C-alpha cells in the first residue's frame, strides 16, 4: 500500500522524530500550525478515527499515553489534540494521526 505515514513510520521517508516505540511513532509536522506541532501516529495502518475497532483501540489509547509523556517531556502545559477524519473535515493523509499543537493561544470553535 502506498501510504506516506506508513513510509515515515518505517523510516523510508525522512522525518524529525519526537518519539518512537513498537506501536507508535511521533514526528514534527512539516507545515507547523503552531510553535510546537507534532503528529502522533500508530505504526499499523489505520485510515482514520472512523476506523477504530475493539482490535486496535489499545493502540489509540497508547497514542494518548504517548501524548501525555511527550508533552510533559517538552514542558508543554496547554495543548490541543486534533484528528481530522474525512476530506471535508480537513484530512489530507489517510493514515490516522493526532495533531498536537501548542505554544500559542487558540480559538474555539475551530474554523
Ligand atoms: P491532515 O490534514 O489532518 O490529514 O494532516 C496531515 C498533516 O501532515 C499536515 O499537517 C501536513 O503538514 C503533514 N505532513 C504532510 N507530509 C508530511 C511529511 N512528509 N512530514 C511531516 N508532516 C507532513
Ligand atoms: Zn499508512
Amino acid at each position: 500500500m502506498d501510504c506516506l505515514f506508513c513510509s515515515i513510520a518505517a523510516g523510508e521517508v525522512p522525518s524529525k522524530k519526537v518519539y518512537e516505540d513498537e506501536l507508535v511513532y511521533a514526528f514534527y509536522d512539516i507545515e507547523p500550525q503552531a510553535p510546537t506541532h507534532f503528529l502522533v501516529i500508530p505504526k499499523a495502518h489505520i485510515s482514520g478515527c472512523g476506523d477504530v475497532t475493539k482490535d486496535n483501540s489499545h493502540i489509540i489509547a497508547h497514542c494518548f499515553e504517548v501524548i501525555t509523556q511527550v508533552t510533559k517531556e517538552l514542558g508543554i502545559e496547554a495543548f490541543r489534540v486534533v484528528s481530522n477524519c474525512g476530506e471535508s473535515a480537513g484530512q489530507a493523509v489517510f493514515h490516522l494521526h493526532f495533531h498536537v499543537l501548542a505554544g500559542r493561544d487558540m480559538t474555539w470553535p475551530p474554523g
Side-chain angles (χ1 to χ4, degrees):
M1 191 206 313
D2 198 18
C3 169
L4 174 62
F5 285 2
C6 280
S7 302
I8 286 178
E12 294 157 9
V13 168
S15 64
K16 202 173 162 204
K17 180 162 84 174
V18 180
Y19 174 90
E20 181 174 18
D21 64 26
E22 66 282 4
L23 291 177
V24 166
Y25 188 74
F27 56 105
Y28 285 104
D29 198 292
I30 207 168
E31 225 177 285
Q33 301 301 318
T36 300
H37 182 180
F38 61 88
L39 303 172
V40 178
I41 66 171
K43 284 189 171 176
H45 183 86
I46 301 169
S47 298
C49 265
D51 296 281
V52 179
T53 65
K54 270 195 175 5
D55 288 336
N56 64 26
S57 59
H58 65 288
I59 305 175
I60 307 307
H62 189 57
C63 286
F64 279 88
E65 291 178 62
V66 168
I67 289 169
T68 297
Q69 184 185 320
V70 172
T71 50
K72 276 190 168 50
E73 279 170 9
L74 295 177
I76 295 168
E77 285 173 8
F79 59 91
R80 180 172 290 181
V81 179
V82 174
S83 190
N84 301 318
C85 187
E87 220 171 308
S88 62
Q91 187 174 9
V93 178
F94 286 80
H95 178 128
L96 193 155
H97 49 282
F98 296 105
H99 297 260
V100 181
L101 302 135
R104 65 166 169 82
D105 289 338
M106 291 178 206
T107 56
W108 190 264

